[in-house]
Amino acid sequence: MSEIGVFEFKGKRYEFPVEIGTENEIAIEIKRLRGDTGGIITLDPGFKNTGSCKSEITFLNGEKGILRHRGYAIEDLAKKASFLEVAYLIIFGELPTQEQFAKFEADIKKNTLVNEEIKDILDGFPRAAHPMGVLSSLTSALTAFNPEYTDVHSEEEMYDAITKILGKFPVLAAWAHSKNEGAPLNYADNSLDYIENILMMMYKVPTTAYKGNPIVKKAMEQLLILHQDHEQNCSTSTVRLVGSSHASLFASISAGVSALWGPLHGGANQAVIEMLEEIIKGGGDVEKYIAKAKDKNDPFRLMGFGHRVYKNFDPRALLIKESADAVLADLGIADPTLEVAKHLEEVALNDPYFKERKLFPNVDFYSGIIYRALGIPVEMFTVMFAIGRLPGWIAQWKEMRMNNEPIGRPRQLYIGKTKRDYKTMSER
Ligand code: ACO
């Protein structure tokens, strides 16, 4: 017998089907709630209890600290696979064969040039513009330069749009960085792999031959794999919502970049480093910042702590912490922020405020320390996150379109003024 959810209101009983996921998650399906009850809706600010879709891409159990893509553990993928291999898995559902991988990589490489006129748009930005704003705008501009991909009707057209954005997005990201630095713009070198290309485009200068560092490349690849997908987070939900109106992939991803930018989401990696630097500047008084974070009259939050879904530990944070130690040792860097971060973590994890609320370090707590060790400037941290998250956004957008999901349009509970008569300005 299938399960049902029951809802009673004013003596009437309503029954709703219950759906059970492959990992035994349970959802009450309330599609008919409003119709059957004559207008009752659910109210769930921040969507803390609301599933917006069914998805086959990522399984996350926040209580147990589990993260799997298409059934594969994040720990295995981060340690054993390449960035594009994981991207293929997330987007298309299976790990690629050698042949499938070679075609996928070659198709992306065919798309590593962007229209030269994009440079005119870039020129229009002030040099100090935040690269996330620049990246969001340039990604949206891809729609204007590739109008044939604004509406895709077949899987083939979708594939072309996907390989296009995977090819061009890192170029736009690198150019956003070069603009900040006042440095010449680099083009991709298709003899390099995806990650090497990103680093090369960010750092190559015309006067010197570029020589990559394998330690930096390996660490960057692992970090970006860890960011690839995280089911229905703020930016991914944004991508799906924008795409649900059949806006183009490029426009949807541009909206995702904007959502990721905020300090409560991807922008936290920049905010963490700024917070750690402030603590060091103020003499390293970790306890003072813990007290500020606990003070309900102070808006300060411990950046890099807490997560909407993880209430035990963030498995990505564990891997990143391990990696931060290794990368700093490999590169021979002694970074005081790592020591402060570890101290802060230790104090917070033993403090009842953080324990009771199940607040643990999240993916952003240690990632900034690695980015900095790898030579990435602080304003680019969230851009690196966006490059990492791109395959996840694509996969989620594709799944939403392939499932013919309806346009996203939440309801609301109106709590404003009831009907009143207009008064002319002289009467007010
Ligand atoms: N510092 C201090 N207190 C915190 C923190 C924090 N970082 N995070 C949550 N709390 C407290 C809240 O004040 C609240 O306390 P209360 O119950 O006494 O009112 C309680 O913990 C629950 O917090 P919520 O805000 O309800 O949790 P929510 O799931 O809405 O927010 C979020 C999650 C936004 C990540 C939050 O923990 C936060 O702001 N963290 C800092 C920013 C950050 O690191 N963001 C990156 C997240 S990972 C990512 O997006 C890639």
Side-chain angles (χ1 to χ4, degrees), residues 46 48 227 230 233-234 260 262-269 271-272 290 292-296 299-311 314 316 353-354 357-360 362-365 385 389:
K48 293 190 177 191
H227 285 84
H230 214 232
N233 56 83
C234 175
L260 187 72
L264 297 190
H265 192 14
N269 57 14
V272 169
I290 298 277
K292 265 168 81 64
K294 286 161 42 175
D295 180 357
K296 292 292 169 199
F300 174 79
R301 281 191 162 196
L302 205 54
M303 298 316 286
F305 257 76
H307 197 275
R308 170 57 60 79
V309 187
Y310 291 121
K311 302 297 176 195
D314 181 339
R316 303 165 304 167
Y353 174 95
F354 292 88
R357 290 170 180 76
K358 299 186 169 34
L359 300 171
F360 294 86
N362 59 48
V363 68
D364 291 317
F365 193 64
F385 191 157
R389 183 53 53 89

Side-chain angles (χ1 to χ4, degrees), residues 205-413:
V205 287
T207 45
T208 318
Y210 176 78
K211 204 170 167 299
N213 178 335
I215 298 172
V216 171
K217 193 225 147 183
K218 187 168 166 264
M220 182 62 77
E221 183 143 26
Q222 195 187 61
L223 207 49
L224 297 189
I225 290 173
L226 290 175
H227 285 84
Q228 279 208 21
D229 192 57
H230 214 232
E231 52 117 299
Q232 308 312 318
N233 56 83
C234 175
S235 57
T236 301
S237 297
T238 301
V239 169
R240 283 185 90 123
L241 189 63
V242 172
S244 77
S245 74
H246 292 198
S248 77
L249 175 61
F250 309 142
S252 307
I253 300 286
S254 159
V257 173
S258 297
L260 187 72
W261 191 0
L264 297 190
H265 192 14
N269 57 14
Q270 173 171 345
V272 169
I273 283 290
E274 287 165 354
M275 175 186 79
L276 295 174
E277 279 172 347
E278 203 182 297
I279 294 176
I280 292 170
K281 229 191 275 165
D285 190 352
V286 160
E287 279 73 11
K288 181 177 128 194
Y289 285 83
I290 298 277
K292 265 168 81 64
K294 286 161 42 175
D295 180 357
K296 292 292 169 199
N297 297 316
D298 190 327
F300 174 79
R301 281 191 162 196
L302 205 54
M303 298 316 286
F305 257 76
H307 197 275
R308 170 57 60 79
V309 187
Y310 291 121
K311 302 297 176 195
N312 181 336
F313 64 92
D314 181 339
R316 303 165 304 167
L318 289 187
L319 291 164
I320 291 177
K321 185 180 177 184
E322 242 176 74
S323 179
D325 269 327
V327 167
L328 262 61
D330 283 351
L331 296 174
I333 297 173
D335 187 344
T337 56
L338 181 62
E339 295 319 310
V340 175
K342 284 183 180 168
H343 185 190
L344 198 63
E345 178 185 350
E346 196 190 314
V347 175
L349 292 183
N350 288 306
D351 187 297
Y353 174 95
F354 292 88
K355 276 179 158 171
E356 280 158 19
R357 290 170 180 76
K358 299 186 169 34
L359 300 171
F360 294 86
N362 59 48
V363 68
D364 291 317
F365 193 64
Y366 286 103
S367 67
I369 293 169
I370 306 187
Y371 284 136
R372 203 160 67 157
L374 302 184
I376 309 285
V378 81
E379 312 74 50
M380 282 296 286
F381 288 2
T382 319
V383 171
M384 302 318 291
F385 191 157
I387 295 173
R389 183 53 53 89
L390 180 64
W393 288 333
I394 294 171
Q396 301 273 352
W397 177 90
K398 176 171 172 279
E399 183 178 69
M400 181 270 307
R401 287 298 301 268
M402 304 266 300
N403 289 347
N404 275 322
E405 281 175 22
I407 184 166
R409 203 301 189 185
R411 290 270 171 180
Q412 62 162 18
L413 185 66

Side-chain angles (χ1 to χ4, degrees), residues 118-174:
I118 293 240
K119 289 182 182 168
D120 297 337
I121 305 178
L122 190 65
D123 273 348
F125 283 99
R127 186 171 155 193
H130 195 288
M132 281 298 274
V134 176
L135 180 61
S136 170
S137 306
L138 297 186
T139 306
S140 182
L142 287 179
T143 309
F145 290 97
N146 302 274
E148 67 278 29
Y149 293 102
T150 44
D151 197 10
V152 291
H153 296 285
S154 64
E155 260 192 80
E156 290 73 39
E157 284 177 354
M158 216 174 254
Y159 179 83
D160 289 347
I162 289 169
T163 47
K164 246 187 204 338
I165 197 155
L166 279 167
K168 295 179 195 308
F169 194 77
V171 181
L172 303 179

